[in-house]
């Protein structure tokens, strides 16, 4: 069934009796050509592009809970392509371009909203760094505008420009950045993949791999063994736990990132705003809630909840740039387990085990990467070689000194 | 989280900075034939377990001692806190 305005109108007139489930709930088959482990955004996008763009058939996505129960349904929905390094920026710009055409492509309203993102700067040195970043973005075909204080005043007059400690001097603005309804991304890709014949197997946890003489021949799951010619893992925060079952140790630590939503307010925040001197970022949802977050908690954890010192730190960051939100009441807060890598950048690669692929290390920023991650992973799985914008996302890059460290923080996951 | 400091008693985790897996106490031997691989694994690879984890915390806003904290990464429960110096000495480190 195709979704459209007409369809909504028609169903409204006919008692909404014609809607069907958006995807099937099949039983696992004994064998697939490709098994994707993890039904988050990346896994579902990978299945979708494998079927739609790379002509693959006979694919299953295996998810331990329900699709969207992981970080794809927990993030703060920001999409942007404002990276600096050549290993990253073309990839994220490719992703932003895919976002721009996504809703037409998979016929689902993902509420892609390009209201712009502003990274504030507070010192001369930071302005210079942002000018450099903006130039790197433009060289990769992205949009970037360096705004002075007057420019920011026009966009966000409510900021605390003359803050005694961190006065706001200007910002780097990416007008094409914005937010996307995260659950709808999972659902849209799931429906699109299902339409192309992909089996989405929920409540099906991968508990092991069948590895024979260095060749991966399938997975063991809570719903039985499934043979596969290729197995592609993308389980985000669970990466180390799952790959351990294939005997691999990863350059990854699992950490918790918290997020917060306030009561609904009238429209006040024009796009996404980030603080440049502390860690705080905020946008406003279509329902009016302020959606915000900050730093990861900073210690290894698999508990999907954080601690109070970070809550305080995030709120202080918010108060430092926009004191007007001080009386907004926080309605909900939650945490998600993020796969922090040793250089803050992700992996999309084959492993030393033939037929076993790995995608992970997305840290706190893999939502924006969902379309490109799926597309590039599908490219690697179908063609056997990396997509041109993802060639640097190799698992062995630390061996060769080829890390992609945007922050220059070194092999210390909690500092990225 | 409250960390039971062996010398100072219960302290808020916010007084500490976190380094990571306590296995980092044991640096590989730089003269070993396989030192390049060993240092790669030491620097970049982690067990990252779900469950009990021994990890290094630095009491930066306090007495600046390094602690080895045994903590469950699925519940945040802390079961043991030692001075890193003691565990390093006990494991045969003398520098
Ligand atoms: C609070 C928070 C805010 C964030 N904000 C942003 C943001 O604003 N912008 C941005 O770009 N990124 C953001 N991120 C990061 C982003 O959400 C993640 O990087 C991204 O969602 C990870 O990819 P995924 O969607 O595939 O992961 P997930 O949705 O976590 O998918 C992984 C799936 O694997 C499944 N799985 C795990 N183990 C197994 C197993 N053994 N067998 C089968 N299935 C298994 C899990 O159940 C899960 O569904 C944020 C993250 C958090 C936690």
């Amino acid at each position: 069934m195709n979704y459209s305005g007409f369809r909504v109108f028609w169903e409204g007139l006919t008692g909404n009796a014609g809607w069907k489930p958006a995807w099937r709930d099949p039983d696992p088959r004994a064998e697939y050509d490709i098994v994707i482990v993890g039904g988050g955004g990346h896994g579902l996008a990978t299945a979708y592009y494998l079927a739609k763009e790379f002509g693959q058939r006979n694919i299953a996505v295996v998810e331990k809970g329900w699709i969207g129960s992981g970080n794809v349904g927990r993030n703060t929905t920001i999409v942007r392509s404002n990276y600096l390094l050549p290993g990253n920026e073309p990839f994220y710009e490719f992703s932003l371009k895919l976002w721009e055409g996504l809703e037409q492509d998979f016929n689902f309203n993902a509420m892609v909203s390009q209201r712009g993102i502003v990274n504030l700067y507070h010192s001369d040195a930071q302005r210079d760094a942002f000018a450099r970043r903006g130039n790197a973005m433009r060289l990769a075909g992205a949009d970037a505008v360096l705004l002075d204080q007057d420019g920011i005043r026009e966009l966000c007059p409510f900021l605390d420009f003359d803050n005694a400690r961190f006065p706001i001097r200007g910002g780097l603005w990416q007008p094409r950045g914005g937010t996307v309804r995260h659950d709808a991304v999972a659902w849209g890709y799931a429906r699109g993949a299902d339409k192309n014949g992909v089996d989405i197997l929920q409540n099906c946890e991968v508990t092991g791999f069948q590895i024979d003489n260095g060749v991966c021949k399938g997975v063991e799951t809570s719903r039985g063994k499934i043979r596969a010619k290729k197995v592609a893992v993308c389980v985000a925060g669970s990466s180390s736990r799952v790959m351990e079952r294939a005997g691999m140790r990863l350059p990854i630590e699992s950490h918790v990132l918290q997020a917060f939503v306030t009561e609904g307010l009238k429209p006040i925040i024009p796009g996404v705003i980030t603080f440049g001197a502390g860690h705080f970022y905020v946008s406003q949802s279509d329902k009016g809630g302020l959606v915000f977050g900050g730093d990861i908690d900073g210690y290894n954890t698999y508990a999907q909840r954080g601690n109070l010192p970070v809550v305080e730190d995030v709120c202080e960051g918010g108060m430092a740039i926009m004191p007007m939100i001080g009386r907004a009441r926080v309605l909900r807060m939650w945490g998600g387990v993020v796969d922090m890598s040793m250089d803050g950048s992700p992996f999309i690669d084959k492993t030393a085990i033939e037929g076993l692929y790995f995608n992970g290390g997305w840290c706190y920023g893999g939502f924006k990467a969902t379309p490109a991650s799926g597309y590039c992973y599908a490219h690697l799985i179908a063609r056997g070689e990396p997509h041109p914008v993802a060639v640097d996302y190799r698992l062995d890059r630390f061996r060769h000194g080829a890390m992609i460290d945007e922050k220059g923080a070194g092999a210390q996951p909690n500092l990225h | 989280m409250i960390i039971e400091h062996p010398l100072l008693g219960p302290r808020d985790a916010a007084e500490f900075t976190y380094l990571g897996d306590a296995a980092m106490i044991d640096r590989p031997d730089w003269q070993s034939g396989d030192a390049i691989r060993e240092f790669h694994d030491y620097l970049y690879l982690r067990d990252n377990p779900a469950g009990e984890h021994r990890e290094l915390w630095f009491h930066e806003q306090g007495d600046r001692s390094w602690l080895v904290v045994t903590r469950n990464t699925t519940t945040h429960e802390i079961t043991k806190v030692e001075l890193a110096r003691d565990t390093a000495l006990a494991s045969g480190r003398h520098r």
Side-chain angles (χ1 to χ4, degrees):
Chain A
M1 176 199 295
N2 223 45
Y3 291 163
S4 64
F6 173 75
R7 186 89 216 175
V8 172
F9 183 68
W10 179 252
E11 290 296 334
L13 291 179
T14 54
N16 285 305
W19 300 115
K20 301 251 158 36
W23 53 85
R24 296 164 296 129
D25 184 20
D27 284 324
R29 277 187 259 150
E31 179 166 5
Y32 292 91
D33 286 349
I34 304 171
V35 164
I36 294 162
V37 184
H42 292 211
L44 294 164
T46 305
Y48 174 76
Y49 291 118
L50 273 170
K52 183 157 175 290
E53 302 294 334
F54 294 93
Q56 303 293 310
R57 290 288 166 266
N58 205 10
I59 305 167
V61 176
V62 177
E63 163 57 45
K64 79 170 172 194
W66 66 94
I67 58 166
S69 58
N71 288 347
V72 70
R74 291 168 186 268
N75 63 72
T76 39
T77 77
I78 299 166
V79 302
R80 56 188 171 89
S81 66
N82 53 4
Y83 285 69
L84 173 71
L85 298 177
N88 273 334
E89 180 57 16
F91 172 84
Y92 286 103
E93 177 54 21
F94 178 57
S95 205
L96 195 50
K97 291 208 168 80
L98 287 174
W99 283 121
E100 286 171 334
L102 184 65
E103 294 164 300
Q104 297 305 319
D105 190 57
F106 67 17
N107 179 236
F108 201 89
N109 181 8
M111 298 162 74
V112 176
S113 171
Q114 294 178 289
R115 285 167 295 169
I117 175 166
V118 178
N119 301 128
L120 300 173
Y121 63 77
H122 308 267
S123 67
D124 288 352
Q126 206 172 20
R127 185 199 53 216
D128 292 350
F130 280 11
R132 180 177 172 220
R133 174 187 299 261
N135 287 333
M137 291 163 64
R138 295 177 65 135
L139 282 172
D143 58 324
V145 186
L146 193 67
L147 295 176
D148 59 10
Q149 202 193 63
D150 289 341
I152 298 292
R153 269 186 206 278
E154 238 170 76
L155 279 180
C156 325
F158 49 80
L159 295 174
D160 187 11
F161 288 90
D162 303 319
N163 183 290
R165 180 68 183 87
F166 299 116
I168 294 165
R169 303 261 190 242
L172 183 63
W173 184 36
Q174 181 174 33
R176 286 165 59 244
T179 56
V180 182
R181 172 75 202 280
H182 51 1
D183 304 305
V185 174
W187 300 331
Y189 274 124
R191 175 170 165 270
D194 179 89
K195 251 188 179 174
N196 284 287
V198 173
D199 280 2
I200 296 170
L201 310 173
Q202 304 185 76
N203 298 312
C204 185
E205 177 172 3
V206 168
T207 52
F209 298 90
Q210 297 163 349
I211 296 168
D212 207 1
N213 278 326
V215 182
C216 184
K217 305 226 158 129
V219 290
E220 280 146 27
T221 78
S222 54
R223 292 172 73 180
K225 290 188 182 176
I226 303 176
R227 286 194 305 281
K229 298 197 179 80
K230 294 175 181 171
V231 175
V233 175
C234 40
V235 293
S238 304
S239 292
S240 298
R241 295 174 84 171
V242 171
M243 296 312 279
E244 186 195 0
R245 295 170 184 150
M248 287 176 63
R249 280 176 88 215
L250 299 178
I252 286 176
E253 280 178 9
S254 295
H255 287 257
V256 64
L257 177 64
Q258 306 191 56
F260 310 84
V261 173
T262 69
E263 61 197 320
L265 304 170
K266 286 186 178 173
I268 41 167
I269 310 281
V272 181
I273 304 169
T274 75
F275 185 21
H279 207 155
F280 173 81
Y281 55 87
V282 63
S283 65
Q284 189 166 16
S285 78
D286 291 349
K287 281 191 281 184
L290 303 183
V291 181
F292 61 95
D295 265 328
I296 57 174
D297 272 39
Y299 43 81
N300 286 48
T301 177
Y302 286 91
Q304 287 176 322
R305 60 168 193 279
N307 272 290
L308 291 172
V310 169
V311 178
E312 187 178 15
D313 184 69
V314 170
C315 294
E316 282 171 356
M319 290 302 288
I321 53 169
M322 45 180 83
M324 71 170 183
I325 65 173
R327 297 183 64 189
R329 278 163 296 196
V330 173
L331 287 189
R332 291 185 293 130
M333 52 193 265
W334 64 92
V337 180
V338 293
D339 37 341
M340 298 299 298
S341 69
M342 285 289 158
D343 58 0
S345 294
F347 309 97
I348 302 178
D349 204 357
K350 303 174 187 174
T351 68
I353 298 160
E354 203 187 310
L356 182 61
Y357 299 78
F358 178 72
N359 172 319
W362 292 99
C363 302
Y364 43 74
F367 176 66
K368 70 177 87 63
T370 305
S373 168
Y375 198 100
C376 295
Y377 204 23
H379 185 284
L380 177 75
I381 296 162
R383 304 235 171 113
E385 51 191 73
H387 186 279
V389 299
V391 283
D392 291 341
Y393 293 154
R394 303 202 32 187
L395 259 172
D396 67 352
R397 63 177 177 258
F398 302 103
R399 253 180 238 290
H400 309 295
M403 36 287 254
I404 313 169
D405 190 342
E406 288 276 337
K407 259 198 180 170
Q412 182 67 46
N414 63 351
L415 298 183
H416 288 293
Chain B
M1 289 186 295
I2 302 289
I3 295 177
E4 196 68 44
H5 192 300
L7 305 175
L8 303 175
R11 312 296 299 210
D12 192 325
E15 294 176 9
F16 295 77
T17 53
Y18 178 82
L19 185 66
D21 196 321
M24 279 186 280
I25 292 177
D26 301 314
R27 287 169 75 86
D29 177 5
W30 65 276
Q31 284 179 310
S32 111
D34 208 12
I36 291 189
R37 190 191 57 78
E38 285 171 16
F39 267 97
H40 166 270
D41 294 1
Y42 169 81
L43 252 178
Y44 297 113
L45 302 185
R46 299 285 181 269
D47 287 341
N48 193 22
E52 193 170 275
H53 190 227
R54 293 182 76 234
E55 52 200 25
L56 286 163
W57 292 74
F58 177 52
H59 200 195
E60 189 170 33
Q61 315 280 326
D63 73 344
R64 303 186 75 78
S65 56
W66 282 95
L67 306 182
V68 174
V69 176
T70 305
R71 192 177 55 93
N72 188 315
T73 59
T74 60
T75 61
H76 296 162
E77 186 196 6
I78 295 172
T79 48
K80 194 169 175 189
V81 185
E82 305 148 273
L83 289 174
R85 180 186 153 76
D86 291 346
T87 58
L89 286 174
S91 70
R93 271 276 293 274
H94 42 81
R95 281 178 293 128

